Amino acid sequence: MTDITHQEMLQKYAEAIVKVGLNIRAGQRLIITLAANRGVPIQFAPLVREVSKAAYAVGAKYVDVIWGDEEMLRLRAQHAPHDSFDEYSTWQVDAIVKMIENGDALLSISGANPDLFGGLDPEIVGMIQKTHLKNFARVSERVTTNAVNWCVVAAAGEAWAKKVFPDLPAIEAQEKLWKAIFETARIAQPDPIAAWQTHIANLRKRAQYLQARQYTALHYSAPGTDFTLGLPNGHLWISAQSMAQNGVAFTANMPTEEVFTLPDRNRADGVVTSTFPLSYGGTLIEDFQVTFENGRVVKVTAQKGESALQKLVDTDEGSHRLGEVALVPASSPIAQRGHLFYNTLFDENASCHIAIGRAYRFTLTGGEELTDDEFVSAGGNVSLNHVDFMIGSPQMDIDGVKQDGSREPVMRQGEWAFDA
Ligand code: ZN
Ligand code: ZN
């Protein structure tokens, strides 16, 4: 692709991010960070600048960016004193919280090096991750209650692109990853905004169907998976678009293909086998199985990254339980690309998934107003963590279990089993 074309695509992408993703209102401020609160690397400046232009074009009052350097995180893990990993740079969290409380919009760019901490002492990586989660909780809590319009989008980072397309030279890998981002985010279509409106409406119909069925549980079967997951009373099926507490309708993920709700934290039983690797905190976890009893993880095994997986589960009590259940057909445009992205924003939209840890408050009727204890009593899960992992495949069947115990097909061989 030529530079001009790429620049034009970035402009269209930025426009869709501002108008569909964030839906920025005139007079709002916007803060841009790297997903998971690392500062945005300078390699993403061309996208950040286009987003800023697009935001000002719709009347944004001020666009702020937290810049950073990933290498600094790796350096610290390698060289900082062993007893220093509970240190944290809280000024970034303070700034983000302040902006959210002011009703500003929040954009997170995902594109970090999925292997940033590869080969480092898992003990240290675990400590860094836990310290981050503890300190970042003030932001996570506000995001999971949709306090303001927020959005996560991707940028084709150099290291990430090399991970996705290891056989290509660096520049070609990056171009190919940008192309994949533009296509899956519907930016390559003639009218991306209209394409998004159609897509949002279609996903909403799926969510409305599932909402009307009022299933009390889902049952999953696939090779290595025999699993029942309860759905609490008051669960809400959510798709692409949500309403923030500041009154702005927004689309939290670009791309998005999922329809999701919260599981009952006390009702998960059986075994699930992962169908995609999981990139967690800079470590890849591959070919893993998780066993549940009464909602709680009782066993994990993994071919690769087992100690990282165990650390994830051991973060706190809530990370022994589930906080999200999402349905995505195996034929999703992202799955059809036929390769992994090693990035949850993409891989979760290629496959049915569940999430270890915190449930989104907006997936339970009135959930935003409940205290943590009340939310937990209603079946919701509370944790510092929220980590999606993929379990769907073209071999997966899912049944919806009704109040009377009867079952009906929700998915067959990885595809929707109902018309919406
Ligand atoms: Zn999800
Ligand atoms: Zn999730």
Side-chain angles (χ1 to χ4, degrees):
M1 89 184 85
T2 67
D3 280 341
I4 293 161
T5 310
H6 180 66
Q7 199 59 35
E8 282 170 0
M9 291 301 283
L10 273 187
Q11 281 169 14
K12 288 173 79 176
Y13 188 35
E15 189 190 359
I17 290 168
V18 163
K19 291 188 177 168
V20 177
L22 295 164
N23 190 16
I24 292 184
R25 306 288 79 202
Q28 261 198 314
R29 292 169 59 124
L30 167 65
I31 185 159
I32 304 175
T33 68
L34 192 67
N37 187 37
R38 298 165 187 171
V40 183
I42 200 74
Q43 62 167 322
F44 298 150
L47 175 63
V48 168
R49 290 172 190 144
E50 287 304 330
V51 168
S52 304
K53 277 193 248 171
Y56 287 127
V58 298
K61 198 158 62 174
Y62 194 88
V63 181
D64 214 346
V65 189
I66 297 179
W67 295 106
D69 176 25
E70 283 192 285
E71 276 305 307
M72 287 290 287
L73 298 173
R74 188 173 168 91
L75 276 175
R76 178 174 170 234
Q78 286 172 306
H79 301 292
H82 251 75
D83 59 359
S84 69
F85 294 110
D86 55 354
E87 293 289 326
Y88 196 78
S89 183
T90 51
W91 62 269
Q92 294 184 346
V93 173
D94 293 341
I96 299 168
V97 167
K98 222 170 158 181
M99 289 194 74
I100 292 174
E101 284 175 349
N102 190 45
D104 301 336
L106 174 66
L107 178 67
S108 302
I109 296 178
S110 176
N113 180 358
D115 269 336
L116 183 68
F117 293 129
L120 298 186
D121 182 349
E123 207 63 49
I124 290 174
V125 175
M127 282 191 280
I128 290 175
Q129 188 67 13
K130 194 159 182 180
T131 300
H132 166 65
L133 289 171
K134 265 193 220 158
N135 284 279
F136 202 62
R138 288 190 295 138
V139 174
S140 309
E141 282 159 11
R142 286 164 173 85
V143 167
T144 55
T145 54
N146 286 342
V148 294
N149 40 334
W150 59 278
C151 184
V152 185
V153 301
E158 226 180 294
W160 176 30
K162 282 232 71 157
K163 182 79 196 172
V164 180
F165 303 114
D167 300 333
L168 294 179
I171 290 179
E172 277 174 50
Q174 226 174 338
E175 282 180 357
K176 197 165 174 183
L177 185 55
W178 269 122
K179 195 164 179 277
I181 291 170
F182 293 145
E183 286 173 8
T184 55
R186 295 179 156 71
I187 306 307
Q189 303 195 19
D191 186 346
I193 310 273
W196 268 99
Q197 277 154 0
T198 306
H199 181 53
I200 288 168
N202 288 340
L203 287 172
R204 186 179 291 133
K205 282 184 210 155
R206 296 281 171 201
Q208 283 169 345
Y209 173 94
L210 290 165
Q211 192 64 46
R213 302 315 288 165
Q214 289 293 317
Y215 295 128
T216 180
L218 298 176
H219 179 261
Y220 295 73
S221 53
T225 293
D226 181 2
F227 179 58
T228 304
L229 187 54
L231 301 178
N233 289 332
H235 68 271
L236 292 172
W237 286 96
I238 307 289
S239 57
Q241 203 175 57
S242 299
M243 180 63 74
Q245 291 187 52
N246 64 356
V248 182
F250 69 103
T251 304
N253 287 182
M254 297 175 85
T256 182
E257 302 290 337
E258 63 178 340
V259 178
F260 64 101
T261 188
L262 85 168
D264 188 326
R265 74 191 296 278
N266 297 312
R267 290 193 290 135
D269 290 278
V271 187
V272 284
T273 295
S274 69
T275 49
F276 288 66
L278 168 64
S279 169
Y280 173 67
T283 303
L284 270 187
I285 305 166
E286 293 179 68
D287 299 320
F288 57 100
Q289 283 198 322
V290 187
T291 306
F292 292 86
E293 273 174 32
N294 300 319
R296 203 167 191 279
V297 175
V298 291
K299 189 180 166 197
V300 298
T301 57
Q303 291 298 318
K304 213 184 137 201
E306 187 172 298
S307 67
L309 179 59
Q310 190 62 56
K311 285 217 162 47
L312 189 174
V313 169
D314 289 340
T315 306
D316 53 25
E317 173 54 28
S319 57
H320 289 75
R321 297 172 184 275
L322 297 173
E324 178 189 330
V325 45
L327 302 178
V328 181
S331 64
S332 106
I334 295 169
Q336 279 178 356
R337 304 194 75 85
H339 63 78
L340 293 168
F341 282 84
Y342 303 98
N343 179 309
T344 300
L345 180 61
F346 290 83
D347 291 334
E348 76 159 333
N349 285 305
S351 169
C352 288
H353 55 274
I354 50 183
I356 283 176
R358 178 176 57 243
Y360 288 102
R361 294 303 189 104
F362 55 79
T363 51
L364 182 72
T365 308
E368 289 95 336
E369 273 80 55
L370 302 181
T371 64
D372 279 0
D373 287 347
E374 289 167 341
F375 188 56
V376 166
S377 302
N381 196 28
V382 175
S383 170
L384 289 173
N385 235 335
H386 174 103
V387 180
D388 298 286
F389 67 99
M390 279 49 87
I391 59 172
S393 71
Q395 285 81 46
M396 175 167 271
D397 289 343
I398 303 175
D399 284 343
V401 183
K402 301 202 70 179
Q403 308 283 347
D404 64 5
S406 64
R407 291 179 172 203
E408 49 192 43
V410 172
M411 289 191 131
R412 284 293 175 267
Q413 301 195 309
E415 299 302 319
W416 294 117
F418 60 88
D419 293 321

